[in-house]
C-alpha cells in the first residue's frame, strides 16, 4: 500500500480532512490552519494518486483508498478523530466508517452524498475515464470543460476570478491515470445510507446552496439517516464550499469542534 503524503499541523485532538476530486490537500489549507489555531491536530492527506501520493495498484474501488487513510492513522497511533470529507472525501469517509466506525468521534460531510450513482452518472464517469486514457495530454482541457463548471457556484464564477483560477490550476495538475481510476472507483461506490444510520456520534452536513452536483435533496437524505445530524448552509457557494467561502466554513468547523469537545467532556 502506498504511503500518503500528509499535511500535519497543530496539536491536540485529531481532525482528518479528506479532499474532493480532482483536488488535493491544498483545498483544505484555510480550515486546517483555523482548526490548528483552535487547538486541534489536523491531518490532511493527499489521497492516492493526487498531490504527493502515488496511485494505488488495486482495481478502482474506494475501499482501498479508505484503507490507505486508516493505515495512515494507525501509523500515527490515532484511534479517534473528527472525520471530515468534501465530495470524494465524503465518499472515502463513508467507506472508512463502513469498516472502522470506532475511528470517528464525530463526522462532517461537506457537499457530498450517501447514495450510489445511477446509470447515467456511471456512464458519464466511464466516458470521462476513457477520454483521459485516450487523450492523456488533453486531461486538463477535458477536466476544465466537463468538471470545472460543476465544481463552483454561479456566484464564485461571476465574482471570484482568483478562486476560479486556483481551482483550474488544480485540475491542470491532475494525472490522467488518476482521473480515470477515480471515475471508475466513484462509479462503483455503494449506497452508504445504512452506514450513516449506524453512527451514534455528532454529525454535521455542510452544503453550499449553489451546489448542483450534490443538491439539497441529497443532503436531506443524509440528515434523515444521521441520528445526531445537523446542517450548515453556506450561501453563495457551490460544490467546493470550503474553497469558495473559506472563512465561513472555517468558522462552522471551529464551532462544531467546540461542540464535539463539549460532548466528549460531558
Amino acid at each position: 500500500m502506498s504511503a500518503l503524503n500528509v499535511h500535519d499541523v497543530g496539536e491536540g485532538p485529531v481532525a482528518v480532512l479528506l479532499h474532493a476530486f480532482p483536488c488535493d490537500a491544498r483545498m483544505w489549507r484555510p480550515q486546517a490552519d483555523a482548526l490548528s489555531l483552535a487547538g486541534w491536530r489536523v491531518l490532511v492527506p493527499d489521497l492516492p494518486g493526487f498531490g504527493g501520493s502515488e496511485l494505488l495498484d488495486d482495481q478502482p474501488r474506494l475501499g482501498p483508498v479508505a484503507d490507505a487513510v486508516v493505515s495512515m492513522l494507525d501509523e500515527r497511533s490515532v484511534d479517534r478523530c473528527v472525520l471530515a470529507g468534501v465530495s470524494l472525501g465524503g465518499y472515502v469517509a463513508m467507506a472508512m466508517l463502513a469498516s472502522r466506525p470506532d475511528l470517528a468521534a464525530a463526522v462532517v460531510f461537506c457537499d457530498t452524498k450517501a447514495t450510489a450513482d445511477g446509470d447515467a452518472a456511471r456512464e458519464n464517469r466511464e466516458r470521462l475515464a476513457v477520454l483521459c486514457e485516450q487523450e492523456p495530454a488533453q486531461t486538463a482541457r477535458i477536466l476544465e470543460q466537463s468538471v470545472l463548471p460543476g465544481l463552483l457556484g454561479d456566484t464564485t464564477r461571476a465574482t471570484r476570478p482568483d478562486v476560479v483560477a486556483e481551482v483550474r490550476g488544480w485540475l491542470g495538475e491532475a494525472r490522467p491515470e488518476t482521473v480515470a481510476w477515480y471515475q471508475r472507483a466513484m462509479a462503483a461506490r455503494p449506497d452508504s445510507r445504512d452506514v450513516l444510520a449506524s453512527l451514534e456520534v455528532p454529525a454535521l452536513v455542510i452544503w453550499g446552496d449553489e451546489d448542483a452536483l450534490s443538491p439539497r435533496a441529497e443532503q436531506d437524505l443524509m440528515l434523515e439517516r444521521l441520528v445526531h445530524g445537523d446542517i450548515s448552509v453556506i450561501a453563495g457557494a457551490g460544490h467546493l464550499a470550503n474553497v469558495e467561502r473559506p472563512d465561513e466554513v472555517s468558522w462552522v468547523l471551529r464551532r462544531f469542534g467546540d461542540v464535539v469537545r463539549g460532548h466528549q467532556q460531558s
Side-chain angles (χ1 to χ4, degrees), residues 92 109 263:
V92 175
F109 300 116
H263 178 79

Side-chain angles (χ1 to χ4, degrees), residues 91 97 124 195 208 234:
Y91 304 156
L97 292 166
N124 284 334
V195 173
I234 308 300

Side-chain angles (χ1 to χ4, degrees), residues 22-35:
C23 307
D24 58 36
R26 289 172 294 179
M27 73 171 304
W28 278 115
R29 190 61 60 89
Q31 290 77 39
D33 292 344
L35 287 171

Side-chain angles (χ1 to χ4, degrees), residues 73-146:
L73 295 176
D74 289 343
E75 290 167 2
R76 289 165 171 77
S77 299
V78 174
D79 55 7
R80 293 278 279 177
C81 65
V82 174
L83 183 60
V86 54
S87 190
L88 164 64
Y91 304 156
V92 175
M94 292 175 208
M96 291 172 64
L97 292 166
S99 61
R100 287 287 304 275
D102 57 293
L103 279 173
V107 293
V108 180
F109 300 116
C110 183
D111 292 296
T112 190
K113 52 190 173 185
T115 55
D117 278 351
D119 291 342
R122 287 193 293 269
E123 290 170 5
N124 284 334
R125 291 192 190 280
E126 180 61 22
R127 178 185 57 81
L128 180 59
V130 170
L131 277 175
C132 290
E133 289 175 331
Q134 292 177 339
E135 302 182 71
Q138 298 299 315
T139 297
R141 177 187 60 79
I142 293 167
L143 291 177
E144 183 170 344
Q145 291 178 350
S146 62

Side-chain angles (χ1 to χ4, degrees), residues 18-32 44 86-87 110-111 148 151-153 155-157 160-171 206-208 234-250 253:
L18 304 177
H19 64 78
F21 171 93
C23 307
D24 58 36
R26 289 172 294 179
M27 73 171 304
W28 278 115
R29 190 61 60 89
Q31 290 77 39
V44 196
V86 54
S87 190
C110 183
D111 292 296
L148 181 60
L151 291 180
L152 302 173
T155 300
T156 296
R157 291 198 301 271
R160 302 174 198 140
D162 55 329
V163 174
V164 176
E166 182 176 41
V167 174
R168 182 183 290 113
W170 293 340
L171 269 59
I206 298 176
W207 180 66
I234 308 300
H239 194 60
L240 302 184
N242 67 307
V243 176
E244 298 173 68
R245 293 291 191 184
D247 293 343
E248 289 90 330
V249 174
S250 295
L253 288 175

